[in-house]
Amino acid sequence: MTVPAPTGPASTGPTPAAVEETAEAEAERPFGLGSSPLRTDALPKALGIYPYAADLWAEGLLWGAVLRSPHPHARILSIDTSAALAVPGVQAVLTAADLPVLGSPSDRPVLAGEVVRHQGEPIAAVAADHPDTARLAAASIVVEYQLLDALIDPEQAFHGPPLHPDGNLLRHLPLRTGDPEAVGEVVVEGLYQVGRQDPAPIGAEAGLAVPRPDGGVELHLSSTDPHGDRDRTAACLGLDPERVRLVVTGVPGAAADREDASFQTVLALLALRTGRPVKMTLTREESFQTHAARHPALLRYRHHADAQGKLVKVEAQILLDGGAYADVSAEVLAAATAFSVGPYVCPNVFVDAWAVRTNNPPAGRMRGEGALQSCFAHESQLDLLAARLGLDPLEVRRRNVLATGDPLPTGQAVTCPAPVAALLDAVAEVPLPALPVADPDTDWLLPGGPGGAGDPAAVRRGIGYAVGMCHMLGAEGADEVSTATVRVSGDHATVICAAVDAGQGFATLARQIVQSVLGVTEVYVAPVDTDQSIAGPAARGRHTWVSGGAVEKAAQMVRHQLLAPIAADFGMSVELLSIADGKITSYDGVLGMPITEALEGKELWATAQCRPHPTEPLDENGQGDAFVSIAFCAMRAVVDVDIELGAVRVVDVTVAQDVGRALNPGQIEDRIEAGVAQGVGLALLEDLRTAGGVLVNPSLTGYRLPTALDTPEVRIAALLEERDVVASFGAKAVSAVPAVVAPAAVAAAVRAATNLPVGRLPIPPEDAVVLAG
């Protein structure tokens, strides 16, 4: 088998002086938990030498390309591949008829054979000796379609013709608690819409498949769930999972799932059919068409409160557009429903939530899924309630905040720390940023940027608050488990764990854990592949808890192996020995042995699992202990709005977040800033638009992402460290909840500046224009 390797300029590497200087600087840094060491991948990424899947190469390489449907809904009458097969250099052409297994583990076909249900759905695949040849051959395949009416309005899915044998309803989840006849003295209602936000990874999907001598295949992918992707691919190929090996190749950041089963299965099948390595890199347009985006949502809310602003009842209807296939829509709906009231106490809650199929692009897992959509709605409702009662928006929130021990609307008691009131106080105490000064040199700070057509006199400043929550780990009975091995030899340690570092910094955290437990400074984290034990997907911050917990347990077992003989020699228990500052010391100070001396000539290792306490599915009334733990965040956003043009500039975002325990403060701040940037993108810019089910802007020029000039100053008011006693290290995941809260905070600030309802995300300019008179 040929081993893929990066080629070209990327193989040059840093100069010896640069490496030595970086190593010296790193050696002087504090290490272990609580410190903020340099990320393990920082230098190669900064120097441009980090190998991504698109950099892979193998001897005898072929290139793959896929023919995709231009229509959102059509029946396939015939597929003629003869022209493609006649193209010189083409080695294989595949259609649904060539698949070894009919169907797939999900409701999404690998290649459409009878019906296409969304634009961009794969129909045929080609392998050729040059990428241009493969694309030319794919384009020459003739498909005869019978066009069908596209169902693009999720509200019509209940009554429209079924798009799938299972129907259009993916899940209906009612939530019922309290007295349905309860009413409040004050009632506010709102209708809210959340658009389709795409993860828009800078590195598009790419991969390499290499056939194995045993009839299996080896996949090199930027997967965030290697064992899950391996198992889905093996099922589609009709192979035992042991005959499919997946090697994780540099993940270029991931705020959502990286690959769908179609991409990796087609790649593997082309390699098996040709007997040669096959590489495929999607175009940016293909990437937008195929990977899952955030679920668009329509939310109707009615809040009842008493005259003091205390919530009496919340009624809501939530509709999620799941696109053509089920994927994870049921999970996303559970989060949207359970967190529909937000981090507030309300005795009476009545919600109906649905996820439906349409012929729109696929929707799936993306940071803060479900909770984000509900957060925008419930925070908008709290602003309406404050305005109706003449209360400060902060005050109405303070009067309703959730605390540890309070129940969620699902009946589950919040047993983890829930310092919501403290978070609100923390953001409120930070001084506001200065007002802009009339200065020609700073006109770029105005909404619209330099040279904008707006009048500075039309700029209004707004201040908005929002607080939100999201769950960590899987929910509703998901079996969360991870396995890790720690091996110590001489003066260095190795961590083997199939937890993918998708940008959240797990590899750095794993090093810190071993350094803290064993006192070894040199820690190597092995590359991830499916020959290792399962660790699960890199989603919902689970690797900090589950995989970090497994690494800690394995390291503790090695620690006991190391200290037990020493303790026996001195006639004391292991618990009376400690490891710190590179030394093993006893409680009485008699023993002071360097850790390197204790490890000399030894090789120790241990494997351990971490499995959090089980959860249960929500019942027919939306009741049940469905979540392992919850994270909370509060924000204050400051915006400047040109009320004539509707242009918005986010000036400042102040964040307070409960983190349980700050394992790496620098990394936490980085993740909060990233979440805020993603939330600001959804609030003002990011909208993957469709017309009749066809994507309008599938490019990085048409799909607007926030740049450095769009990203505000992010100030951390507080990282509250109230440890969650059931979590590994007491820590909570930090990446998702800032992205959940930021859009609601920005919308609240625009609402304050314009005194307009602001019921859509992203906020279109017309929704921020104040008409004269």
Side-chain angles (χ1 to χ4, degrees), residues 108 197-200 224-225 228-229 232 254-259 291-295 321-322 325-333 362-370 373 471 473-475 478 480 536-542 678 736:
R108 182 198 295 258
Q197 184 183 27
D198 194 274
T224 59
D225 182 12
D229 286 340
R232 287 184 285 272
D257 294 338
R258 283 290 305 177
E259 274 88 33
H291 64 222
R294 191 181 299 283
H295 285 74
D321 181 354
Y325 296 105
D327 291 327
V328 295
S329 290
E331 300 174 36
V332 176
L333 192 72
R365 182 177 288 114
M366 190 170 171
R367 183 180 285 156
E369 61 265 18
Q373 292 89 328
H471 67 290
L473 314 184
E480 292 286 10
R540 298 174 300 275
R542 60 183 301 282
Q678 190 171 47

Side-chain angles (χ1 to χ4, degrees), residues 665-702:
Q667 200 157 267
I668 287 175
E669 293 185 11
D670 292 344
R671 302 307 295 159
I672 289 174
E673 290 178 3
V676 169
Q678 190 171 47
V680 168
L682 175 59
L684 299 177
L685 300 169
E686 297 185 51
D687 190 12
L688 190 59
R689 304 189 308 276
T690 60
V694 177
L695 289 176
V696 173
N697 56 333
S699 69
L700 291 182
T701 52

Side-chain angles (χ1 to χ4, degrees), residues 723-768:
R723 298 191 183 187
D724 187 345
V725 296
V726 300
S728 300
F729 324 105
K732 291 187 177 184
V734 299
S735 297
V737 69
V740 167
V741 180
V746 172
V750 174
R751 193 177 294 119
T754 62
N755 200 30
L756 294 173
V758 186
R760 293 188 285 179
L761 294 180
I763 304 168
E766 58 267 27
D767 284 9

